[in-house]
């Protein structure tokens, strides 16, 4: 899903922008239990942490229900991003690729190598089917794990179907967070395109 797609190299299939694929509604997978705790001592700050199999989100008591829902979503993504940044190296990516292939592609996609690279600034991921190699942009590091899984699964699917036709997208239909992941990446691209305003001068 490149912000400004580069010309495709011979035998390479870069992850393309979400607009190339029709939208569809998908159910979300079961999530870790979330407990929201309101505090009269909190004025503006929101925080979250893991406690066993639950996620605790601490918010100000005066916060509305709509604000609570928005902040819970923000904090869940923030926690997931922190965890993925701590945990995922090249070896972890290879293990994730094997798991994702088994879970969503019947184990048919078998990459020869999966690694992070720092020279992909206009695409999130790419693969070379002839070599069985998959490369993920270092810019994904620190993003929520479901986003990394989507990009990884996208490239795994390219080992089976090089192009972006209907057969390719059918391979991704079983992944329940496709739309959410694509929305997240679209948001990152949109934010990068916003003008960077100079800091206000002090009077």
């Amino acid at each position: 899903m490149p912000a400004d797609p580069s010309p495709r190299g011979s035998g390479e299939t870069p992850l393309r922008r979400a607009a190339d694929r029709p939208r569809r509604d998908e159910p979300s997978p079961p999530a870790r239990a979330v407990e929201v705790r309101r505090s009269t001592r909190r004025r503006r700050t929101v925080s979250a942490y893991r406690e066993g199999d639950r996620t605790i989100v601490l918010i100000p008591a005066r916060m509305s229900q709509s604000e609570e829902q928005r902040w819970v979503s923000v904090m869940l993504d923030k926690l997931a991003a922190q965890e993925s940044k701590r945990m995922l190296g090249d070896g972890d990516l290879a293990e994730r690729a094997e798991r994702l292939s088994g879970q969503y592609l019947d184990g048919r996609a078998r990459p020869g190598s999966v690694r992070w690279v720092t020279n992909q600034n206009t695409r999130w991921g790419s693969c070379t089917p002839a070599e069985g190699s998959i490369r993920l942009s270092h810019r994904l590091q620190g993003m929520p794990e479901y986003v990394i899984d989507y990009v990884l699964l996208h490239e795994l699917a390219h080992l089976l179907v090089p192009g972006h036709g209907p057969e390719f997208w059918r391979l991704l239909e079983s992944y329940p967070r496709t739309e959410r992941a694509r929305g997240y990446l679209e948001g990152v691209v949109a934010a990068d395109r916003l003008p960077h305003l100079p800091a206000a001068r002090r009077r």
Side-chain angles (χ1 to χ4, degrees):
M1 191 181 300
D4 298 299
S6 300
R8 182 177 302 179
S10 177
E12 292 190 352
T13 54
L15 176 59
R16 303 180 64 184
R17 57 165 54 97
D20 293 341
R21 178 183 183 272
R23 295 281 186 177
R24 63 186 297 270
D25 294 327
E26 296 174 328
S28 297
R32 185 193 300 250
V34 177
E35 179 181 337
V36 177
R37 297 178 183 174
R38 292 175 174 263
S39 171
T40 55
R41 295 181 179 180
R42 286 180 176 266
R43 300 303 181 192
R44 297 182 180 180
T45 60
V46 178
S47 62
Y49 60 91
R50 305 293 194 196
E51 187 177 87
D53 60 353
R54 295 180 302 165
T55 300
I56 309 300
V57 181
L58 307 174
I59 65 173
R62 61 179 178 79
M63 191 171 283
S64 68
Q65 287 297 320
S66 61
E67 288 176 320
E68 173 185 319
Q69 292 176 2
R70 181 173 67 86
W71 276 106
V72 165
S73 178
V74 167
M75 298 310 292
L76 289 177
D77 277 351
K78 186 175 181 179
L79 282 176
Q82 291 171 347
E83 291 167 354
S84 69
K85 189 172 185 178
R86 273 199 311 268
M87 295 169 54
L88 297 178
D90 286 352
D92 298 308
L93 283 182
E95 292 178 5
R96 283 180 101 76
E98 182 178 359
R99 175 179 60 80
L100 290 167
S101 177
Q103 187 171 358
Y104 299 106
L105 302 174
D106 297 323
R108 292 182 295 139
R110 299 177 181 178
S113 65
V114 186
R115 60 192 175 91
W116 296 108
V117 294
T118 58
N119 61 351
Q120 289 189 162
N121 294 318
T122 60
R123 61 182 68 175
W124 298 117
S126 64
C127 79
T128 305
E131 299 175 359
S133 61
I134 290 176
R135 299 165 296 280
L136 266 58
S137 171
H138 72 286
R139 295 179 302 143
L140 289 165
Q141 292 175 331
M143 292 188 187
E145 290 187 7
Y146 71 87
V147 176
I148 297 174
D149 280 353
Y150 166 69
V151 177
L152 190 52
L153 186 60
H154 186 114
E155 300 308 331
L156 285 167
H158 275 312
L159 295 179
L160 304 176
V161 180
H164 286 93
E167 183 182 358
F168 171 82
W169 291 114
R170 278 196 294 271
L171 292 176
L172 298 182
E173 287 182 350
S174 60
Y175 183 62
R177 292 193 173 186
T178 290
E179 297 305 324
R180 185 178 178 188
R182 289 172 58 220
Y184 186 100
L185 292 173
E186 286 176 344
V188 171
V189 172
D192 287 344
R193 289 175 175 170
L194 291 176
H196 297 285
L197 301 178
R201 294 180 180 178
R202 294 183 180 177
R203 295 183 178 179

